[in-house]
């Protein structure tokens, strides 16, 4: 449609120039240098109006596309809020109401996630509200508003008068030809002069309407450009603010979860040290007799450096015959002909050996 409109505009301009040239040729002075200058000014004004019409129409379509996009985003976002809220509630129920997991790390993580998810959905709701009030509504108001329609009506009135003027040029040329053919017949001369007067009236009206149309269309174009840019910036700022808050919420949640995981995933050394408040037992009378207990073979899974003569150093991969186990987490055993105490957590059971088979080991 734009290409057809441009082509029609060029054809009208060519016809107008040809008509002006014919009129100048027949009138012998009518349509002289002053009229030609006026005609060129009018052509330039018409071209400018055509560009403004195309520009404002494109801007209107862009504004309408933004409104449709934002409205679609709001519809999808509202559904996401609904789903996220349901997920938050499910997480809260699992963490707070499941008696089997109450107080566990997973329970705490579920409750924390529920709270963070609810905060995120609130931020999403705020974003959707901002996009609706700050972007979609102002642009929609301009798309269907009066300023653009008023400017277009000015342009349409100018276009109608211009077409009448183009037709009147032909009428003036025809009347002038009849005057020359009739050798100055008074009746033909009178009609020629009336046609000329009508042409001048149309030209005057066309000039006035053209200036008004250009002014109103230019004002609308400037308003479209300014408002659309402002709303785009507002949309970007709203989304940026939203995602910054979401990142802050997720960073806080991640920190809490990692801290909880580190608390429960302490190293074996730390677990052993914290669980042992006393030194290895050396009083044999307080332990079960070696003859009445089962021995077992343990593989060293963590290295241990003895801190006294009563303790046994361990190297990863070695096998230790465990002979006694104390209630405070220490064990007594033998490895490579050396005996001593070591943390039981540092070995892993591999085999069971009866006390009666001790000599064979």
């Amino acid at each position: 449609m734009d290409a057809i409109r441009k082509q029609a505009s060029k054809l009208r301009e060519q016809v107008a120039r040809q008509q002006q040239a014919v009129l100048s040729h027949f009138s012998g002075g009518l349509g002289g240098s002053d009229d030609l200058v006026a005609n060129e000014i009018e052509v330039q004004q018409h071209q400018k109006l055509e560009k403004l019409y195309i520009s404002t129409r494109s801007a209107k379509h862009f504004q309408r596309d933004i409104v449709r996009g934002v409205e679609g985003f709001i519809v999808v976002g509202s559904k996401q809020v609904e789903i996220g809220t349901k997920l938050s509630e499910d997480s809260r129920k699992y963490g707070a109401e499941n008696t089997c997991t109450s107080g566990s790390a997973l329970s705490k993580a579920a409750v924390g996630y529920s709270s963070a998810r609810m905060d995120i959905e609130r931020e999403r709701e705020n974003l959707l509200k901002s996009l609706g009030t700050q972007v979609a509504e102002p642009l929609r108001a301009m798309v269907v508003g009066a300023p653009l329609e008023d400017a277009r009506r000015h342009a349409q009135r100018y276009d109608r008068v211009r077409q009448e003027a183009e037709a009147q040029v032909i009428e003036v040329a025809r009347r002038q030809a009849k005057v020359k053919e009739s050798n100055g017949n008074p009746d033909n001369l009178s009609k020629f002069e009336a046609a000329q007067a009508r042409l001048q009236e149309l030209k005057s009206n066309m000039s006035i309407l053209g200036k008004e149309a250009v002014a109103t269309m230019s004002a609308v174009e400037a308003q479209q450009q300014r408002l659309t840019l402002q709303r785009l910036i507002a949309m970007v700022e709203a989304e940026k603010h939203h995602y910054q808050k979401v990142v802050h919420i997720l960073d806080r949640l991640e920190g809490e979860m990692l801290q909880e995981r580190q608390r429960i995933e302490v190293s074996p050394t730390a677990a052993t040290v914290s669980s042992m408040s006393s030194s290895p037992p050396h009083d044999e009378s307080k332990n079960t007799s070696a003859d009445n207990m089962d021995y077992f073979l343990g593989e060293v899974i963590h290295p241990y450096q003895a801190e006294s003569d009563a303790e046994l150093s361990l190297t990863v991969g070695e096998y230790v015959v465990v002979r006694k186990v104390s209630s405070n987490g220490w064990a007594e055993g033998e490895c490579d002909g050396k005996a001593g105490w070591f943390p039981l957590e540092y070995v892993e059971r591999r085999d069971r050996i009866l006390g009666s088979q001790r000599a064979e080991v």
Side-chain angles (χ1 to χ4, degrees):
M1 293 299 296
D2 289 343
I4 294 174
R5 186 178 179 84
K6 290 179 181 178
Q7 186 176 4
S9 177
K10 290 181 180 178
L11 289 174
R12 285 200 300 269
E13 291 169 4
Q14 291 175 359
V15 170
R17 291 191 182 97
Q18 292 172 357
Q19 291 170 346
Q20 189 67 24
V22 170
L23 183 59
S24 178
H25 174 74
F26 282 107
S27 63
L30 179 63
S33 60
D34 293 340
D35 287 333
L36 288 174
V37 170
N39 184 263
E40 288 299 323
I41 293 174
E42 192 278 327
V43 168
Q44 292 175 5
Q45 182 173 261
H46 178 71
Q47 291 175 342
K48 184 175 182 180
L49 195 56
E50 285 288 323
K51 292 179 181 178
L52 285 169
Y53 192 92
I54 294 172
S55 174
T56 53
R57 182 176 56 188
S58 298
K60 176 183 177 180
H61 290 171
F62 181 46
Q63 290 175 333
R64 187 173 58 195
D65 291 341
I66 294 175
V67 171
R68 288 175 177 173
V70 170
E71 289 176 343
F73 186 83
I74 291 174
V75 171
V76 175
S78 298
K79 187 62 177 178
Q80 290 178 325
V81 170
E82 180 182 341
I83 295 172
T85 302
K86 180 64 168 57
L87 177 58
S88 173
E89 181 62 20
D90 291 341
S91 299
R92 187 197 64 79
K93 286 181 178 180
Y94 179 84
E97 299 178 8
N98 192 329
T99 57
C100 296
T101 61
S102 179
S104 69
L106 178 57
S107 175
K108 293 178 181 178
V111 172
Y113 179 80
S114 171
S115 177
R117 172 53 59 185
M118 187 58 69
D119 290 342
I120 290 174
E121 298 313 325
R122 290 195 191 97
E123 292 300 330
R124 194 195 304 274
E125 286 181 330
N126 292 336
L127 171 63
L128 299 179
K129 187 181 297 183
S130 296
L131 293 180
T133 58
Q134 298 181 17
V135 179
E137 291 180 7
L139 291 179
R140 187 189 300 110
M142 187 163 194
V143 168
V144 300
L148 179 59
E149 294 304 316
D150 290 344
R152 286 185 169 184
R153 281 194 287 270
H154 275 87
Q156 290 167 357
R157 284 198 296 269
Y158 161 79
D159 206 38
R160 286 195 296 268
V161 173
R162 191 173 192 274
Q163 292 176 11
E164 290 181 23
E166 291 172 353
Q168 192 64 25
V169 168
I170 297 175
E171 177 65 15
V172 169
R174 189 174 67 82
R175 292 294 179 185
Q176 186 180 24
K178 285 190 175 184
V179 169
K180 288 191 175 184
E181 290 173 359
S182 63
N183 295 321
N185 181 283
D187 183 53
N188 289 335
L189 183 59
S190 175
K191 290 181 179 180
F192 169 67
E193 290 174 350
Q196 275 189 316
R198 176 59 179 163
L199 177 60
Q200 292 302 322
E201 179 184 359
L202 289 172
K203 281 185 174 182
S204 177
N205 291 339
M206 185 174 62
S207 177
I208 295 172
L209 289 174
K211 291 177 181 179
E212 290 179 354
V214 168
T216 54
M217 292 290 281
S218 296
V220 168
E221 182 190 47
Q223 186 181 7
Q224 283 180 327
Q225 300 289 326
R226 182 176 62 257
L227 179 65
T228 305
L229 179 59
Q230 289 175 348
R231 295 310 94 197
L232 282 177
I233 293 174
M235 182 163 58
V236 171
E237 289 177 344
E239 290 194 75
K240 177 183 176 182
H241 184 65
H242 165 73
Y243 289 116
Q244 285 176 339
K245 286 196 170 184
V246 169
V247 168
H248 176 70
I249 294 170
L250 292 176
D251 283 344
R252 184 184 62 198
L253 174 63
E254 182 185 33
E256 293 173 354
M257 287 183 166
L258 290 177
Q259 185 177 7
E260 181 65 18
R261 188 176 70 178
Q262 290 172 358
R263 186 186 68 79
I264 64 175
E265 292 183 356
V266 293
S267 65
T269 303
T272 303
V273 171
S274 63
S275 65
M276 295 186 298
S277 58
S278 61
S279 61
H282 300 295
D283 188 355
E284 298 290 337
S285 64
K286 293 183 180 180
N287 294 285
T288 305
S289 171
D291 293 332
N292 297 327
M293 69 173 291
D294 292 340
Y295 287 44
F296 68 87
L297 191 64
E299 182 182 356
V300 179
I301 58 176
H302 296 288
Y304 178 72
Q305 182 62 42
E307 297 181 359
S308 70
D309 295 337
E311 297 179 10
L312 179 66
S313 296
L314 302 176
T315 302
V316 175
E318 289 183 337
Y319 285 85
V320 182
V321 177
V322 180
R323 300 183 297 197
K324 293 186 181 71
V325 176
S326 174
S327 60
N328 68 352
W330 285 80
E332 191 273 343
E334 181 178 350
C335 177
D336 290 336
K338 297 180 180 179
W341 290 89
F342 53 87
L344 182 61
E345 294 270 352
Y346 282 58
V347 300
E348 190 169 282
R349 182 187 291 266
R350 289 290 181 261
D351 197 2
R352 188 178 184 188
I353 306 173
L354 295 175
S356 60
Q357 297 174 318
R358 177 176 48 177
E360 297 179 9
V361 177

